[in-house]
Amino acid sequence: MITIKQLSIFLENKNGRINDVAKVLAKEGINMQAFSMAETADFGILRLIVSDVEKAVTALRAADFAVMLTDVVCIQCANTPGSLSAVLDYLAAENIFIEYMYAFSEGDTARTIIRPTDLPRCIEILQKNHCRIIDTYSL
Amino acid sequence: MIWNENKECMSREQMHELQSKRLRKLVSTVYHNTPFYRRKMQEMDITPDDIRTIDDIVKLPFTTKQDLRDNYPFGLQAVPTSEIVRIHASSGTTGNPTIVGYTRHDLGIWQESIARCLTAYGITRNDIFSVGYGYGLFTGGLGAHYGAEYVGATVIPTSTGNTEKHVRLIRDLGITGIACTPSYALYLAETIEKMGVDAKQLKLRVGMFGAEPWTENMRKEIENRLHLNAYNCYGLSEIMGPGVAHECECKNGSHILEDHYYPEIISPETLQPLPYGETGELVFTTLTKEGMPLLRYRTKDLTSLIEGECECGRTNVRMTRIVGRSDDMLIIRGINVFPSQVESVILEMPEFEPQYLLVVDRINNLDTLQVQVEVRRDFFSDELSTMLTLRKRLADRLKSVLTVSVDVKLVEPNSIQRSEGKSKRVVDKRVIE
Ligand SMILES: [Zn+2]
């Protein structure tokens, strides 16, 4: 699969809820590879990339968290100025809008999770422009 | 199926005659045996001779919950305690509980009442029936229990408490019928799903649900999740317990067992009787009760009565769903709001669990209403904007139904407290000055 599964978790804005999620995952031996949080005044959505998606969903739902899965795409660019913006330009030129994105770096490389409006077309464009897409196995 | 065709399908004239006869006897009994009623009747300048037919009932005094508390524990009992074979009590959040004593004859009428309900739901001696009401002072458990035994079903006194064990019994014993509160039925459905049991594989067929008001949407939800036919059973301990009224296969109002429990609808403000079809407070007179007979007991439940023969063949009067309680009703900025209205809106939106809490407060002298509602474990959007839109849709819908603006707070699954008995749906933080 060239896309990867992201966990989206509904959280009330209460102290320690992100930590509660982390504890559930730690107990199952699941790694958090990347995350980002989007918030309003009284609730938020935690977006997570983890090492074992199915196990994480089962464990979190059992712990009464609301969890859903979203397909996202992960790209890798050189960790240098301008390389991400070049990729975004390709997408903008083809009218692909980005709902949200977040980045994490690993050594010399920067990886970016992108949730576009039109996922299949987004992948098509990225491939056409020879961007490096990271799939589930190479994460 | 009909348990007692003779009584349940009586002509209106015969019913009128039977009720009149029973009322005359009742009034004479309480006049001579209950000092409380004699005094009230004397104050109103009436004697048993003034009561000729059931239509004269409007001349009689009302009884309220407060009267029951004031005469705690045995003041309204019309027989010596040696005649009483059982006592139930209803919980009161304030003051004395309400004590109800039953003679052997009363218990017989009660099991007959439940037998009529269960038969209307299609329960027979071939069913395995689980009673998931609490056993004890509350009338639900023992009431449903003896009625189901009377019908001849195999009765399992599961009670409330260990829900996972209940699910295993349902699965392993092939339980076909269940009695519990509608909110417990939803909790049961949740537990079944959580345990990974497939509700479609269970033999559950019939649910007898009562002891708290519920809505048509809640019925759909329960039927879809438990794969059974959900029927309403109405009752209250002051009058008897469960079994005062019940639905039939038509699910179009609950048949009142009016040969035993005579219903009236009154305006809660003027106390004047209202005609069929109009919504007001439900009032009952116990036509055949011996232990603690009551005249015109004000239930505080708001509903209306439907006249006319039902498609099922029964001729007795039906009551519509309880739309609220005159004392449950919240007055928010001068507007009447019932928790049941909020519930039906939430049940229309599959994005939410049917679990909610109303929090009423007064901020800067202005009443505020917050509705907390749980998102489902598996259904919501990864986009904040979608979640905000969803919240707004619920708030708009609530505003259009309630005509007051509502602050909707989305909360995590299972964060609103579940209850196995009557659910607590309202927190009113307003300080009454
Ligand atoms: Zn009917």
Side-chain angles (χ1 to χ4, degrees):
Chain A
M1 210 26 205
I2 199 150
T3 56
I4 55 176
K5 296 277 182 203
Q6 169 197 274
L7 271 61
S8 304
I9 306 165
F10 177 89
L11 295 178
E12 282 172 56
N13 273 0
K14 289 191 289 200
N15 273 342
R17 285 309 272 164
I18 296 184
N19 195 13
D20 293 339
V21 172
K23 279 183 194 154
V24 170
L25 297 177
K27 211 175 135 214
E28 300 288 325
I30 300 163
N31 284 333
M32 283 200 268
Q33 289 154 317
F35 75 89
S36 90
M37 181 79 188
E39 284 170 291
T40 68
D42 50 32
F43 69 89
I45 296 170
L46 177 65
R47 292 145 186 167
L48 268 182
I49 305 294
V50 297
S51 56
D52 187 334
V53 174
E54 272 180 34
K55 209 164 141 189
V57 170
T58 310
L60 287 167
R61 284 194 185 148
D64 287 326
F65 285 99
V67 187
M68 72 170 291
L69 292 175
T70 315
D71 287 322
V72 292
V73 61
C74 180
I75 54 165
Q76 177 169 310
C77 321
N79 204 354
T80 53
S83 52
L84 178 62
S85 106
V87 174
L88 298 180
D89 284 343
Y90 297 141
L91 296 175
E94 301 273 356
N95 286 323
I96 298 289
F97 296 99
I98 293 171
E99 301 284 356
Y100 55 82
M101 55 184 241
Y102 49 102
F104 58 109
S105 56
E106 273 196 358
D108 292 344
T109 57
R111 288 173 173 183
T112 303
I113 304 286
I114 297 178
R115 160 87 157 83
T117 42
D118 185 338
L119 188 64
R121 269 202 65 224
C122 174
I123 289 170
E124 207 178 287
I125 294 156
L126 291 171
Q127 284 172 331
K128 199 174 74 189
N129 290 286
H130 309 290
C131 298
R132 171 94 198 274
I133 296 176
I134 304 294
D135 64 18
T136 315
Y137 306 107
S138 43
L139 256 177
Chain B
M1 278 174 300
I2 296 176
W3 177 260
N4 187 341
E5 252 189 81
N6 186 15
K7 290 293 191 305
E8 295 176 75
C9 309
M10 232 177 198
S11 76
R12 295 312 291 164
E13 297 74 46
Q14 280 176 310
M15 180 62 82
H16 189 270
E17 201 176 305
L18 180 69
Q19 288 171 333
S20 300
K21 190 176 103 195
R22 288 180 169 176
L23 182 67
R24 283 195 298 271
K25 183 166 177 244
L26 169 72
V27 170
S28 160
T29 305
V30 296
Y31 190 80
H32 293 107
N33 298 334
T34 318
F36 168 80
Y37 281 124
R38 184 165 52 242
R39 199 175 57 244
K40 277 211 164 190
M41 285 171 67
Q42 282 167 345
E43 279 166 17
M44 296 167 84
D45 202 22
I46 45 171
T47 68
D49 290 339
D50 295 317
I51 307 303
R52 297 267 146 227
T53 75
I54 192 74
D55 305 319
D56 294 321
I57 201 164
V58 296
K59 298 175 183 168
L60 292 167
F62 288 107
T63 313
T64 62
K65 183 112 181 162
Q66 193 55 46
D67 292 328
L68 269 54
R69 291 206 177 103
D70 293 345
N71 290 280
Y72 174 85
F74 299 126
L76 290 178
Q77 204 170 284
V79 296
T81 301
S82 59
E83 296 297 311
I84 298 292
V85 295
R86 195 193 301 161
I87 281 174
H88 280 284
S90 75
S91 56
T93 40
T94 52
N96 292 328
T98 310
I99 298 291
V100 188
Y102 300 74
T103 65
R104 195 165 298 285
H105 179 258
D106 292 338
L107 292 183
I109 304 260
W110 193 6
Q111 70 184 22
E112 155 81 16
S113 305
I114 300 275
R116 290 192 200 171
C117 301
L118 292 175
T119 306
Y121 307 154
I123 293 286
T124 68
R125 53 182 296 115
N126 298 321
D127 281 285
I128 304 181
F129 193 76
S130 168
V131 178
Y133 284 124
Y135 279 65
L137 287 173
F138 172 53
T139 50
L142 288 176
H145 181 103
Y146 285 109
E149 275 190 7
Y150 190 50
V151 168
T154 307
V155 184
I156 305 175
T158 325
S159 193
T160 53
N162 193 334
T163 308
E164 291 197 4
K165 190 170 170 188
H166 200 158
V167 173
R168 282 193 292 272
L169 286 172
I170 291 171
R171 184 191 58 198
D172 300 345
L173 276 59
I175 288 173
T176 52
I178 182 170
C180 62
T181 59
S183 54
Y184 188 68
L186 284 174
Y187 183 60
L188 199 60
E190 223 171 81
T191 309
I192 288 172
E193 287 153 19
K194 220 171 165 177
M195 286 169 71
V197 174
D198 181 4
K200 280 196 206 84
Q201 302 298 317
L202 300 173
K203 294 217 172 90
L204 278 179
R205 198 167 61 73
V206 170
M208 161 182 177
F209 302 120
E212 62 185 20
W214 52 311
T215 58
E216 207 50 47
N217 283 323
M218 204 160 165
R219 186 204 315 265
K220 275 186 223 138
E221 172 92 22
I222 292 172
E223 292 190 333
N224 288 338
R225 285 171 80 172
L226 285 180
H227 297 275
L228 47 65
N229 263 306
Y231 296 103
N232 185 44
C233 175
Y234 177 82
L236 64 169
S237 61
E238 295 87 341
I239 297 304
M240 189 58 101
V244 171
H246 63 84
E247 282 181 324
C248 62
E249 69 269 23
C250 306
K251 294 179 184 167
N252 181 20
S254 295
H255 291 275
I256 298 175
L257 280 57
E258 54 170 333
D259 51 325
H260 296 298
Y261 322 108
Y262 183 77
E264 294 173 85
I265 296 287
I266 61 162
S267 151
E269 285 95 37
T270 66
L271 305 185
Q272 290 306 304
L274 295 175
Y276 285 119
E278 277 192 36
T279 300
E281 184 177 335
L282 182 61
V283 170
F284 276 111
T285 299
T286 60
L287 291 178
T288 52
K289 215 170 174 208
E290 294 178 343
M292 193 181 79
L294 296 179
L295 300 180
R296 308 187 82 194
Y297 179 71
R298 293 183 57 187
T299 65
K300 304 272 185 185
D301 284 331
L302 300 173
T303 182
S304 60
L305 297 180
I306 314 168
E307 203 186 13
E309 189 177 332
C310 179
E311 276 173 49
C312 71
R314 291 177 182 82
T315 52
N316 47 20
V317 164
R318 279 166 287 157
M319 57 188 266
T320 56
R321 281 192 176 278
I322 303 292
V323 293
R325 281 182 60 77
S326 55
D327 54 0
D328 222 36
M329 186 176 80
L330 292 163
I331 301 177
I332 294 165
R333 281 174 242 158
I335 292 163
N336 298 348
V337 170
F338 295 103
S340 56
Q341 295 173 295
V342 173
E343 180 171 305
S344 59
V345 170
I346 289 172
L347 281 162
E348 282 166 17
M349 297 185 66
E351 294 88 345
F352 302 110
E353 282 289 332
Q355 297 293 343
Y356 63 93
L357 184 71
L358 276 66
V359 182
V360 189
D361 206 345
R362 183 166 289 155
I363 296 166
N364 298 330
N365 291 317
L366 193 65
D367 294 338
T368 60
L369 173 62
Q370 183 185 65
V371 173
Q372 298 185 2
V373 59
E374 286 181 6
V375 299
R376 285 188 184 257
R377 271 189 190 74
D378 57 351
F379 194 108
F380 76 101
S381 170
D382 63 315
E383 285 167 51
L384 272 186
S385 58
T386 311
M387 292 305 283
L388 290 169
T389 308
L390 193 62
R391 183 173 74 175
K392 185 166 184 308
R393 230 173 73 208
L394 178 57
D396 290 348
R397 182 86 186 101
L398 284 169
K399 185 171 182 189
S400 78
V401 170
L402 306 175
T403 69
V404 289
S405 50
V406 176
D407 166 37
V408 172
K409 182 171 196 262
L410 305 180
V411 299
E412 292 171 19
N414 215 17
S415 56
I416 293 171
Q417 204 189 339
R418 304 297 197 266
S419 99
E420 297 185 337
K422 300 192 183 197
S423 290
K424 185 164 175 57
R425 299 295 198 189
V426 179
V427 173
D428 197 337
K429 296 176 168 170
R430 289 177 294 189
V431 187
I432 310 297
E433 278 123 64

